[in-house]
Amino acid sequence: MANQEDLAKPPSSLQSFLEDLHCKYKPLQNGAVANYIPELAKVDPDSFSICIVTVDGEVYEVGDSQQLFTIQSISKVFVYGLALEDHGRDYILTRVGVEPTGDAFNAIILDEQSKRPYNPMVNAGAIATTSLIKGSGATERLNRMLDMFRRYIGRDVFVDISVFTSERTTGHRNRAMAHLMLNFGMIDEPIDTALDLYFQQCAVMVNCHDLAVMAATLANKGVNPMTKEQAVNSRYVKDILSVMYTCGMYNFAGEWAYKVGIPAKSGISGGIIAVVPDKMGIAVFSPRLDARGNSVRGVKVCEELSQHLGLHLFECARLVKSQE
Ligand code: GLN
C-alpha cells in the first residue's frame, strides 16, 4: 500500500492514477439511478467523472467534469455552515443534533427526548437547518444561499427549475417530516416555505469540478483555493467536517469512516465529495446508486484513492509524517 509519499509524487502520477481508476470502474454498472424524483431518472446512467483540487489550487480531473447535475444532499453540508454563521453553534444545537442515525437518509424520525432531528445530513435535519437560514423573505433567503454557493464554487449558480418542481410535486415524504417538526416546534414557519427553499437548494446545478473546489474550500479552512475568497467562517469548518465524518454517508457512515476515513457527503443525483483537511477536496460523479443512496462507483473510487494515497485520518504513516 502506498503512503503519504504519494502526495509528493509528480502531479502526472496522480493524474494517471485517476485515469486508471476511471478505466477500471467505467465498466461497473451495478446500482440504479434515483427515480423517486422523476426528473432525476432522465440522467445518463453512464456519466462518470472524478476531480481532485488541492489546497494549492492544482486540479486533476478525468471524465466529463463539466457536466452539470443537481447537487441534492451535498448541499446540506454548505447550508449547515450558513446556518451556523447565522445563529452560532449553541443555538443550532438546540434545533438539530449531531448524532448519526444508522437509518436511511429519508427516515421519518426525531430524537424521542429532544424532538430534534438527529443530524443535519439526513433529510429531516437538513429541512430544519434550511428553515433557520435568515432573510426577510423567500427571495432574500434563496439569494443568500446562492451567494454562499457562489463563494464556494467561484461562479454564479442557478436552480434547475424542472428538478425543483419535480421534487416539489412529489416530495410527500419530506413534507411528512416537515409536519412532524412543525408539530414539535422544530420548524417555526409554514412547512411549504421551508420545503421550497430546501427543494431549491437541492436543485442547484453543479459539476464534478465545482464539487471538488467546494470540498477543497473546506479542506482549506473555508477559503476557496482558486479565488481566495472566504466562503465560510473558519471557526465553523470543524463543526461541518465533524458531522460529515459521522453522518455524511448516512447508514454507511461507520463503514466509510472505517475504510475511507475522511469526512464525506453523498447526494442522490450521484455525487460524492470527500475532504482531506489541509490537503485536497475530492469529488466523484456517477449516478448509479447502491441501496443506501450512495454512488456505487463513487464509493469504490474513494476507497481506492484513500488507500493509494494514505488519506485515512488515522493512517499511521500520515500521523508520523505530520509530526516531522
Ligand atoms: N432532494 C433529495 C431529498 O430530499 C435529497 C436526498 C439526497 O440527495 N440523499 O430526498
Side-chain angles (χ1 to χ4, degrees), residues 249-295:
M249 301 298 283
Y250 310 122
N251 40 343
F252 186 62
E255 199 171 326
W256 176 278
Y258 194 79
K259 283 188 179 163
V260 184
I262 46 178
K265 184 76 198 80
S266 65
I268 208 79
S269 52
I272 294 184
I273 61 167
V275 177
V276 189
D278 291 326
K279 294 268 182 298
M280 64 176 82
I282 300 169
V284 186
F285 172 59
S286 173
R288 288 197 186 90
L289 310 174
D290 61 24
R292 289 146 164 151
N294 298 323
S295 166

Side-chain angles (χ1 to χ4, degrees), residues 75-114:
S75 65
K76 294 169 179 172
V77 168
F78 304 96
V79 175
Y80 184 57
L82 187 59
L84 285 166
E85 287 184 319
D86 277 357
H87 299 276
R89 187 182 295 133
D90 291 344
Y91 182 73
I92 293 295
L93 274 174
T94 66
R95 292 303 188 99
V96 187
V98 288
E99 289 304 329
T101 61
D103 288 307
F105 69 92
N106 57 4
I108 306 180
I109 46 162
L110 299 178
D111 183 322
E112 268 298 309
Q113 262 184 342
S114 67

Side-chain angles (χ1 to χ4, degrees), residues 15-296:
Q15 179 64 33
S16 60
F17 185 64
L18 290 192
E19 283 159 20
D20 291 349
L21 277 180
H22 197 264
C23 270
K24 178 171 175 185
Y25 288 112
K26 185 101 184 120
L28 180 64
Q29 299 198 333
N30 297 1
V33 168
N35 58 8
Y36 73 96
I37 302 172
E39 220 25 57
L40 290 186
K42 295 182 180 169
V43 71
D44 174 3
D46 289 322
S47 304
F48 184 25
S49 45
I50 312 171
C51 183
I52 289 181
V53 172
T54 70
V55 294
D56 302 322
E58 288 162 20
V59 179
Y60 305 91
E61 50 198 336
V62 57
D64 183 3
S65 55
Q66 298 300 315
Q67 183 189 333
L68 291 168
F69 50 90
T70 54
I71 187 168
Q72 296 301 332
S73 280
I74 297 175
S75 65
K76 294 169 179 172
V77 168
F78 304 96
V79 175
Y80 184 57
L82 187 59
L84 285 166
E85 287 184 319
D86 277 357
H87 299 276
R89 187 182 295 133
D90 291 344
Y91 182 73
I92 293 295
L93 274 174
T94 66
R95 292 303 188 99
V96 187
V98 288
E99 289 304 329
T101 61
D103 288 307
F105 69 92
N106 57 4
I108 306 180
I109 46 162
L110 299 178
D111 183 322
E112 268 298 309
Q113 262 184 342
S114 67
K115 311 299 182 204
R116 291 175 310 181
Y118 277 92
N119 69 69
M121 302 289 110
V122 291
N123 285 10
I127 295 165
T129 305
T130 300
S131 78
L132 294 169
I133 297 305
K134 286 185 176 170
S136 64
T139 309
E140 188 180 312
R141 293 167 82 194
L142 176 63
N143 285 341
R144 288 192 67 237
M145 220 181 236
L146 294 178
D147 195 54
M148 176 271 296
F149 284 118
R150 179 198 59 72
R151 293 194 295 276
Y152 279 99
I153 293 176
R155 64 166 175 83
D156 287 335
V157 296
F158 60 93
V159 171
D160 182 313
I161 299 299
S162 34
V163 173
F164 164 57
T165 47
S166 181
E167 183 163 20
R168 188 198 220 183
T169 317
T170 55
H172 306 304
R173 205 181 162 95
N174 284 330
R175 210 157 265 124
M177 282 171 218
H179 272 297
L180 195 59
M181 291 191 288
L182 184 68
N183 176 62
F184 288 118
M186 290 292 144
I187 289 186
D188 303 320
E189 60 187 358
I191 62 152
D192 283 322
T193 307
L195 287 170
D196 273 359
L197 194 54
Y198 171 74
F199 293 147
Q200 283 171 308
Q201 88 183 43
C202 290
V204 164
M205 296 292 274
V206 291
N207 59 39
C208 192
H209 176 99
D210 295 331
L211 288 182
V213 176
M214 297 170 88
T217 300
L218 290 175
N220 194 35
K221 306 176 186 69
V223 176
N224 181 321
M226 318 307 264
T227 64
K228 313 289 182 220
E229 187 173 9
Q230 186 85 45
V232 60
N233 187 322
S234 59
R235 80 161 69 154
Y236 296 119
V237 171
K238 77 172 184 337
D239 303 325
I240 298 170
L241 293 179
S242 301
V243 288
M244 284 174 75
Y245 193 70
T246 52
C247 314
M249 301 298 283
Y250 310 122
N251 40 343
F252 186 62
E255 199 171 326
W256 176 278
Y258 194 79
K259 283 188 179 163
V260 184
I262 46 178
K265 184 76 198 80
S266 65
I268 208 79
S269 52
I272 294 184
I273 61 167
V275 177
V276 189
D278 291 326
K279 294 268 182 298
M280 64 176 82
I282 300 169
V284 186
F285 172 59
S286 173
R288 288 197 186 90
L289 310 174
D290 61 24
R292 289 146 164 151
N294 298 323
S295 166
V296 174

